[in-house]
Amino acid sequence: MRGDIERFIPLARALLGGADFDDGQLRSLLADLQAADVPQSYALEAVRTEAGAHLRRFVTAAIVDDNDVTRGTIDTFRARVALLEIPDAVSTEMLVRLERGHRLTEVRRGHLPTAPPSEVILDSDERCHLHVSCHYERQLTRRVSALAGDLLFTSTKLRFVGYGDGWELSWHKILNVDADADRAIEVVATQRRGTGRYYLHDAEYVATVGRTLARMAKRQLVGRPDTIDTAAVPQHVKSAVYQRDSGRCCECGARSYLEFDHVIPRSKGGATSVNNLQLLCRRCNLRKGDRL
Ligand SMILES: [Zn+2]
């Protein structure tokens, strides 16, 4: 038994430290031990440190550089935690990071959150996706302009409702929304009013929602157009998209042969939502399909 474990440890370590870990290979090593009457949990206990490091690398690689974290990524992680018999106390924090990566991925794909109703009056075609309290600051030549208030991200604009002052900025005018050390978002716009730093909670998430809304407003989310299946789009979504695009093709302005196009394709997880749909005429839609 001692000899079996001693053979297992270096093999398992190499496997856990390698770039292409294979669940099956570890399973077969464990099966060999089982055949030699060595309990699996006893063997895994011997490589617990390496197993933990392996999982931490898995999580880091999954969430680096705005990688897509899919449900599949999380399922693979969970299966490996079970295989390696990693205690919850160790894996929970890693799972939280993966879940967060998944949430950011979903936002980037156009699955936006919905903010609860508030007292701020919105335009009739406007839906609120995010409502947080914040502290606004902008460096002026001689002083800092500072203001506390509420920040709202709606389908059409960024709204700041401060105590005594406020502004709105259409997403078309917003060049970038960046997270600054997770304490603030930095809004860069083509107009000065509203440009600056908004200190708030969870800046990375807020910035991701803002960037997605700005890209959607400018139709910059690229993707292969879906096969047209308007039956899958609910009527109230169709009419909201039609109203917003004024019944014209977003590319050429044509008014006939219009189709509902998913900006981020459904095959890539794109939502069937007002923000992720646009009107295209059949000709532009086909051309978009050829191009990609
Ligand atoms: Zn067109």
Side-chain angles (χ1 to χ4, degrees), residues 3-284:
D4 294 303
I5 278 276
E6 272 161 15
R7 272 190 298 280
F8 168 80
I9 290 173
L11 290 172
R13 278 189 183 150
L15 202 52
L16 288 164
D20 35 34
F21 179 87
D22 180 343
D23 290 28
Q25 284 178 18
L26 185 74
R27 258 194 216 101
S28 81
L29 288 181
L30 290 169
D32 290 349
L33 285 179
Q34 205 111 42
D37 275 337
V38 181
Q40 176 163 319
S41 38
Y42 182 70
L44 287 169
E45 187 60 50
V47 293
R48 178 121 310 151
T49 309
E50 290 83 357
H54 170 81
L55 287 174
R56 265 188 292 279
R57 279 197 305 279
F58 178 100
V59 173
T60 306
I63 60 179
V64 76
D65 290 339
D66 285 355
N67 266 357
D68 280 356
V69 180
T70 63
R71 269 286 144 217
T73 317
I74 294 175
D75 290 346
T76 305
F77 178 81
R78 283 183 189 279
R80 202 158 298 172
V81 167
L83 173 66
L84 297 171
E85 296 182 5
I86 298 293
D88 285 353
V90 177
S91 65
T92 301
E93 175 260 337
M94 296 189 242
L95 199 54
V96 167
R97 289 175 66 202
L98 278 181
E99 289 286 357
R100 177 185 168 80
H102 178 60
R103 205 160 121 241
L104 294 175
T105 300
E106 289 289 292
V107 168
R108 284 197 300 270
R109 288 174 169 188
H111 295 269
L112 294 161
T114 306
S118 73
E119 282 159 23
V120 180
I121 296 165
L122 304 177
D123 297 339
S124 60
D125 65 336
E126 212 179 352
R127 285 163 318 283
C128 191
H129 292 293
L130 199 108
H131 184 170
V132 294
S133 54
C134 72
H135 181 88
Y136 171 79
E137 271 187 24
R138 182 151 70 95
Q139 185 66 51
L140 303 174
T141 339
R142 288 198 187 150
R143 59 183 183 90
V144 174
S145 158
L147 205 55
D150 283 22
L151 182 66
L152 284 81
F153 284 179
T154 78
S155 46
T156 54
K157 55 192 82 152
L158 177 160
R159 287 173 179 268
F160 178 77
V161 185
Y163 304 107
D165 195 7
W167 49 77
E168 48 183 69
L169 250 173
S170 145
W171 291 113
H172 293 275
K173 291 186 175 170
I174 293 180
L175 301 172
N176 197 19
V177 184
D178 234 342
D180 173 19
D182 220 46
R183 295 166 45 237
I185 59 163
E186 173 107 54
V187 173
V188 183
T190 54
Q191 73 176 48
R192 279 182 72 169
R193 201 159 159 74
T195 291
R197 223 164 255 218
Y198 298 76
Y199 289 83
L200 38 75
H201 178 65
D202 204 355
E204 186 190 21
Y205 177 70
V206 173
T208 304
V209 174
R211 269 198 303 274
T212 303
L213 282 162
R215 284 160 71 210
M216 281 177 157
K218 296 176 216 158
R219 300 283 178 266
Q220 282 175 347
L221 292 172
V222 287
R224 192 173 44 76
D226 264 6
T227 44
I228 308 306
D229 180 10
T230 50
V233 181
Q235 194 52 50
H236 71 276
V237 174
K238 282 195 218 172
S239 50
V241 172
Y242 193 88
Q243 290 299 314
R244 184 201 59 207
D245 294 348
S246 313
R248 286 168 175 272
C249 169
C250 286
E251 295 278 336
C252 73
R255 288 183 177 276
S256 45
Y257 300 106
L258 294 173
E259 299 172 334
F260 292 90
D261 170 52
H262 281 76
V263 181
I264 308 170
R266 274 180 308 164
S267 58
K268 296 219 167 94
T272 299
S273 65
V274 178
N275 281 310
N276 193 42
L277 286 165
Q278 64 180 348
L279 281 181
L280 284 185
C281 73
R282 192 165 301 165
R283 208 162 56 105
C284 289

